[in-house]
Amino acid sequence: MCEKDIDGIIEKYRGQPSSLIHALVEIQHANHWLPREVMHRVAEALEVPFAQVMQIASFYKTFSLTPKGRHEVHVCTGMTCHLRGAAKLLAKVEEVTGLKAGETDAESKFTVETGACLGSCSIGPELIVDGKHYGRMTPEKAEAVLNSYE
Amino acid sequence: MTDIVLNIDGKEVKAKAGMTVLEAAQQAGIYIPTLCHHEKLEAFGGCRLCMVEVESRGWTSYVVSCLYPVAKDIVVRTRSPKVDNIRKVLIEELLAHAPDAPELVKMAEEYGSDRNRFAREASFCVLCGLCVRYCDEVKQKNAVSFFDNGSVRQIAFVPEVAKKECWECQECFALCPTSYAQAAYLLTEALAFPGQRKTPAKSAKDLALKSRMIPITPVAM
């Protein structure tokens, strides 16, 4: 992610206070997190007080105020996935990545998170990497999936 | 504009269209307890303490009077066993956060709230939003704002703005029902910019320094 892309997003919404959430969502998707300095620039360009940008960014779960990895790994811990073995799946994911749920590694490769319910109970237990759903996961398959990401 | 006549606590009250029930009551000298209401600020509906019973076309409902617009022929009751009970529980919940806030303690006495009913979780902020809204709507500085959501929602000062604006204003401190706004500011100062706040004395000094500086004029070559 380079500065130019972020600047492009900010420029697109310059002077449009009502587009604050759109701008933040786009930056979040491109950059995986919202640095404070970027939010200052958003506030200035969209003519929104910085405090309100922070309020929005801290309110919604979509936005991250701390650095995240290039690949966001979600393990569903909902009822159905749990009964189908999500706990073992999560343990394997934590073992392969060396991260606990909510953590990001030093090379910012992976961020591991739990979620419930991710909405695909029929193919549980489920693993989602960067929005791609991997259904009927076993710990062995999960290792192969995670190893396929750079 | 035509006046709307409604009944509050058995009294005929005249109000203008667009007014809220709370405004109509206050205008008629009828007291409704509030925590998050301020005449200079937009209605917020956060504390719910101004809850009243409204009877309209035979139906009784419970509404927050600071947001409920006046309507023709409605009957408002500001005190009833159910309203009192709602307020009592609301005060008990708020007391779990700010056990010694003077306004709350006084209201607790009136409504018979038990301050120990809920386990204490003293955050000292009742999230009335007075400081946040005052800073936004009246001062337009936005130095303090809400952060996070749900049970971890809190107010916090933005250090970048607070450093420049807050010491010379401090107007939100007096609005705060629990003194938490002041505490939050001082904590922000201690963490983010100790000893760097802008004070009138400092600004005067800066100004004096500026005027003493010799303006640089281009040197003719």
Side-chain angles (χ1 to χ4, degrees):
Chain A
M1 182 64 206
C2 63
E3 287 293 300
K4 248 169 69 189
D5 296 345
I6 296 182
D7 283 338
I9 296 167
I10 295 176
E11 283 313 311
K12 197 164 75 184
Y13 294 108
R14 181 170 284 280
Q16 301 173 36
S18 55
S19 302
L20 174 60
I21 293 184
H22 294 281
L24 291 181
V25 166
E26 279 190 36
I27 296 171
Q28 169 73 37
H29 277 297
N31 195 44
H32 301 294
W33 74 291
L34 302 172
R36 201 180 178 89
E37 175 265 334
V38 166
M39 283 191 287
H40 268 296
R41 268 156 48 202
V42 169
E44 205 174 296
L46 271 64
E47 291 157 30
V48 180
F50 176 67
Q52 276 177 24
V53 179
M54 284 294 287
Q55 186 177 342
I56 297 290
S58 64
F59 187 90
Y60 294 103
K61 267 273 168 72
T62 314
F63 304 123
S64 173
L65 303 179
T66 48
K68 278 208 180 167
R70 294 190 299 283
H71 305 296
E72 287 176 39
V73 182
H74 290 260
V75 179
C76 182
T77 51
M79 177 83 75
T80 315
C81 288
H82 178 76
L83 291 173
R84 290 176 170 216
K88 276 185 198 157
L89 178 61
L90 180 62
K92 189 69 186 176
V93 169
E94 289 182 342
E95 188 201 311
V96 172
T97 57
L99 301 167
K100 289 258 183 307
E103 290 178 348
T104 302
D105 59 319
E107 288 95 44
S108 24
K109 184 177 174 189
F110 287 122
T111 296
V112 177
E113 262 163 20
T114 57
C117 160
L118 305 180
S120 320
C121 297
S122 60
I123 56 162
E126 210 193 0
L127 181 70
I128 301 182
V129 184
D130 293 344
K132 188 167 188 284
H133 290 241
Y134 295 92
R136 302 203 192 287
M137 275 288 117
T138 59
E140 294 73 41
K141 279 200 231 164
E143 187 165 9
V145 167
L146 290 175
N147 284 336
S148 69
Y149 284 90
E150 270 312 302
Chain B
M1 204 175 277
T2 49
D3 282 350
I4 290 171
V5 180
L6 68 158
N7 183 311
I8 304 180
D9 285 349
K11 221 166 126 182
E12 294 291 312
V13 173
K14 271 189 196 165
K16 288 196 177 65
M19 274 173 100
T20 63
V21 171
L22 178 67
E23 283 166 347
Q26 283 177 341
Q27 193 186 281
I30 298 165
Y31 173 73
I32 297 174
T34 59
L35 199 62
C36 69
H37 184 262
H38 191 281
E39 56 195 6
K40 279 189 190 165
L41 305 176
E42 291 227 347
F44 186 56
C47 71
R48 320 304 278 184
L49 285 174
C50 63
M51 184 89 63
V52 293
E53 195 174 279
V54 169
E55 199 181 314
S56 161
R57 279 183 253 155
W59 293 91
T60 306
S61 55
Y62 296 87
V63 301
V64 280
S65 58
C66 67
L67 292 173
Y68 197 82
V70 290
K72 216 176 135 213
D73 297 332
I74 56 169
V75 179
V76 178
R77 282 182 286 271
T78 64
R79 296 292 292 254
S80 79
K82 204 163 170 189
V83 166
D84 281 8
N85 193 47
I86 290 170
R87 287 186 193 149
K88 172 179 162 257
V89 177
L90 285 172
I91 294 163
E92 281 168 347
E93 286 172 342
L94 293 177
L95 279 168
H97 288 298
D100 295 307
E103 274 179 66
L104 286 175
V105 170
K106 219 172 109 198
M107 281 191 218
E109 262 171 42
E110 188 176 347
Y111 290 92
S113 310
D114 173 8
R115 65 207 293 266
N116 295 316
R117 177 166 174 195
F118 297 108
R120 295 234 174 124
E121 200 179 298
S123 60
F124 301 105
C125 181
V126 292
L127 299 173
C128 66
L130 281 173
C131 53
V132 174
R133 289 177 295 139
Y134 188 82
C135 201
D136 178 18
E137 292 171 32
V138 178
K139 304 296 287 188
Q140 296 180 347
K141 298 290 186 201
N142 287 283
V144 56
S145 188
F146 285 116
F147 292 97
D148 260 323
N149 64 18
S151 63
V152 287
R153 196 171 191 221
Q154 55 180 306
I155 62 141
F157 283 81
V158 179
E160 292 93 322
V161 187
K163 184 177 163 184
K164 281 184 251 151
E165 308 289 351
C166 291
W167 188 255
E168 286 176 20
C169 168
Q170 301 194 9
E171 284 163 34
C172 62
F173 296 175
L175 296 173
C176 182
T178 69
S179 304
Y180 180 73
Q182 189 167 5
Y185 167 72
L186 289 174
L187 183 65
T188 310
E189 181 184 324
L191 289 172
F193 52 96
Q196 292 175 51
R197 65 190 173 206
K198 200 176 129 199
T199 63
K202 264 194 201 166
S203 339
K205 211 171 141 194
D206 285 349
L207 214 68
L209 265 177
K210 230 184 215 169
S211 63
R212 243 189 292 146
M213 265 192 277
I214 302 152
I216 300 164
T217 44
V219 181
M221 294 292 268

